[in-house]
Amino acid sequence: DNTIAVIVDNRQETMGVFKRLHAFYWNWGGLLQEVSIERHPEVAVLEIRAIGSVEGRLRIWITAVNATQEARMHKGTVEVFDGKGKRSGDARSFTIKIKPGGEVDGPLEMFVPHPDLWSLKSPSLYTIVWTDVSGTIKQRTGFRTVKTGNGDLLINGEVVGDLQGFDRHADY
């Protein structure tokens, strides 16, 4: 049997750094966002984050767990699928070292030839699939380059016009 205990505390003196910024934050009590509990093997890949560039360079960051006291080697395969579900290039095998605590050196890198670029007019997304002994993890990403210059935001070298500000605060 397991016991899970949750304590919520909205006293201002427990706010840490946010105590100084109290004018900007309302210290709501309770759980404000989704909470989940997951059970994993003691060494596992939990999630991936992928970013593609205009040139087709795909970088993949791994979030992992390693509850042992020594680094473990972990094998996985990455496949890339375009928006129509067609595989882009060959599947690629990787062996990563997951250090105690879960740190993984990275990112992993691979190349996708001639990707359909993500833009505001054509938001082409690819699905990146990591497969290992524990199962499959999927992440969607676009191939694009985002930069700023002369006060403008540029996506793939094109100025994004009429950009307006936005805010998605946790209690919105």
Side-chain angles (χ1 to χ4, degrees):
D1 290 340
N2 296 302
T3 301
I4 298 172
V6 177
I7 298 173
V8 291
D9 185 349
N10 68 338
R11 291 175 296 155
Q12 190 173 10
E13 57 269 16
T14 65
M15 290 179 68
V17 67
F18 296 105
K19 182 177 180 181
R20 294 191 311 259
L21 304 171
H22 189 66
F24 299 109
Y25 295 94
W26 178 255
N27 197 22
W28 299 103
L31 300 174
L32 300 177
Q33 297 181 2
E34 182 177 297
V35 175
S36 63
I37 297 172
E38 300 177 347
R39 182 176 181 186
H40 300 282
E42 65 181 1
V43 178
V45 171
L46 303 180
E47 66 180 2
I48 62 172
R49 185 172 52 93
I51 297 176
S53 71
V54 169
E55 299 81 19
R57 184 172 127 190
L58 180 65
R59 299 173 76 194
I60 303 167
W61 285 266
I62 303 283
T63 301
V65 62
N66 180 353
T68 72
Q69 298 299 313
E70 57 189 53
R72 297 287 177 94
M73 302 309 286
H74 192 83
K75 293 182 181 182
T77 303
V78 174
E79 294 178 281
V80 180
F81 296 91
D82 67 15
K84 297 177 180 124
K86 181 182 174 191
R87 191 164 69 186
S88 299
D90 294 330
R92 179 150 175 216
S93 295
F94 289 94
T95 300
I96 59 173
K97 180 194 273 186
I98 305 176
K99 299 174 187 174
E103 182 182 346
V104 176
D105 292 333
L108 306 177
E109 293 195 14
M110 55 190 297
F111 183 75
V112 174
H114 314 292
D116 292 329
L117 300 184
W118 186 98
S119 70
L120 294 173
K121 293 176 185 168
S122 178
S124 300
L125 289 176
Y126 283 71
T127 301
I128 315 307
V129 180
W130 168 272
T131 304
D132 63 18
V133 297
S134 298
T136 299
I137 299 171
K138 296 179 181 181
Q139 170 71 51
R140 296 184 77 199
T141 193
F143 285 81
R144 76 263 187 238
T145 300
V146 179
K147 295 182 179 180
T148 58
N150 297 325
D152 291 319
L153 176 67
L154 300 113
I155 298 178
N156 304 335
E158 294 184 22
V159 174
V160 176
D162 298 323
L163 185 65
Q164 298 180 23
F166 58 92
D167 182 11
R168 293 287 181 184
H169 197 275
D171 62 4
Y172 177 77

